[in-house]
């Protein structure tokens, strides 16, 4: 059972997955909020039923699953709709992620929460021991998004603008990895943080 949990977050294309993969390679369990989100609205779940009540059956595929593309398109440009979606999904995600962390073997666990700043930060996640922000300059995010997702500059701008600002993420950080360099420097950062977290967790 892990009773010390590190929250890991960062903006789109910041390299959070690279960071959490390296912690996993060191034997640390990572509870991924994206996985928890899929489970929270899986076919037959209470979460999906509540979404259908709120948004109508048009958000479902022919098979009865959540049509993620349609849902994303619906909430992307409508703040009120997005808040309605988040009010249904985020509490379920928090509950699942916390349970995954508490059940993890090892002296500490990681909660990978991409929308940690948007989802209430420490107020919503008071059980996090520390928050690690994976940070990159906006220009780097923008270039990575265009390269990785094949989107144009305008859509990359919109995707970045839809999230918390860099300053808002950094405001909740205890630790920061600036992930704009090579993978070798990333390894060194993570090894140092792992030693620190093990000490803080009592190991």
């Amino acid at each position: 059972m892990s009773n010390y949990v590190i929250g890991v977050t960062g903006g789109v294309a910041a390299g959070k997955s690279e960071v959490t993969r390296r912690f996993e390679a060191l034997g640390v369990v990572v509870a991924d909020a994206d996985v928890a989100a899929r489970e929270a609205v899986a076919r037959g779940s209470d979460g999906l039923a509540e979404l259908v009540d709120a948004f109508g059956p048009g958000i479902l595929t022919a098979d009865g699953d959540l049509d993620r593309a349609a849902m994303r398109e619906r909430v992307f440009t409508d703040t009120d709709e997005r808040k309605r979606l988040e009010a249904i999904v985020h509490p379920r995600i928090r509950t699942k992620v916390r349970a995954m962390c508490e059940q993890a073997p090892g002296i500490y666990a990681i909660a990978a929460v991409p929308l940690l700043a948007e989802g209430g930060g420490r107020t919503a996640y008071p059980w996090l021991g520390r928050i690690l922000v994976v940070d990159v300059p906006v220009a780097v995010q923008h270039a990575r998004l265009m390269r990785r997702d094949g989107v144009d500059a305008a859509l990359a701008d919109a995707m970045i603008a839809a999230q918390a600002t860099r300053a808002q993420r950094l405001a909740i950080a205890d630790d920061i990895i600036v992930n704009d360099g090579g993978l070798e420097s990333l390894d060194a950062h993570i090894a140092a943080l792992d030693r620190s977290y093990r000490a803080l967790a009592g190991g």
Side-chain angles (χ1 to χ4, degrees):
M1 298 284 284
S2 295
N3 56 15
Y4 196 77
V5 181
I6 308 298
V8 174
T9 193
V12 62
K16 297 177 299 297
S17 296
E18 287 290 344
V19 167
T20 55
R21 269 197 293 273
R22 281 160 171 73
F23 276 109
E24 285 179 316
L26 296 172
V28 181
V29 170
V30 174
D32 189 333
D34 286 340
V35 173
R38 286 192 290 274
E39 293 176 356
V41 294
R43 192 190 312 176
S45 68
D46 292 343
L48 184 58
E50 196 171 336
L51 285 181
V52 171
D53 285 344
F55 294 98
I59 63 168
L60 297 176
T61 66
D63 295 330
D65 294 312
L66 177 64
D67 186 337
R68 293 178 181 282
M71 191 81 243
R72 194 161 45 237
E73 193 172 312
R74 181 164 175 172
V75 305
F76 190 64
T77 55
D78 189 320
T79 303
D80 290 338
E81 293 275 80
R82 189 164 74 240
K83 286 180 177 174
R84 192 147 57 116
L85 170 69
E86 289 170 352
I88 294 168
V89 176
H90 280 194
R92 290 177 165 86
I93 294 172
R94 287 195 294 270
T95 299
K96 286 179 179 290
V97 168
R98 185 173 190 178
M100 286 157 56
C101 288
E102 289 176 346
Q103 292 159 14
I107 194 164
Y108 78 94
I110 282 178
V113 186
L115 299 179
L116 182 54
E118 296 87 342
R122 291 184 189 283
T123 303
Y125 292 82
W127 41 272
L128 294 176
R130 290 180 80 78
I131 294 174
L132 168 62
V133 171
V134 184
D135 180 50
V136 291
V138 172
V140 174
Q141 275 184 285
H142 195 271
R144 284 181 183 170
L145 263 177
M146 291 177 68
R147 186 171 61 246
R148 185 191 75 185
D149 294 1
V151 301
D152 63 20
L155 183 53
D157 284 336
M159 292 169 74
I160 292 167
Q163 295 192 325
T165 65
R166 189 180 181 194
Q168 286 169 328
R169 282 190 296 272
L170 292 174
I172 65 170
D174 296 297
D175 304 299
I176 300 165
I177 289 179
V178 180
N179 187 29
D180 60 355
L183 297 182
E184 305 78 17
S185 61
L186 192 58
D187 288 334
H189 278 308
I190 288 166
L193 286 168
D194 177 63
R195 288 192 296 272
S196 171
Y197 295 155
R198 288 180 190 277
L200 287 166

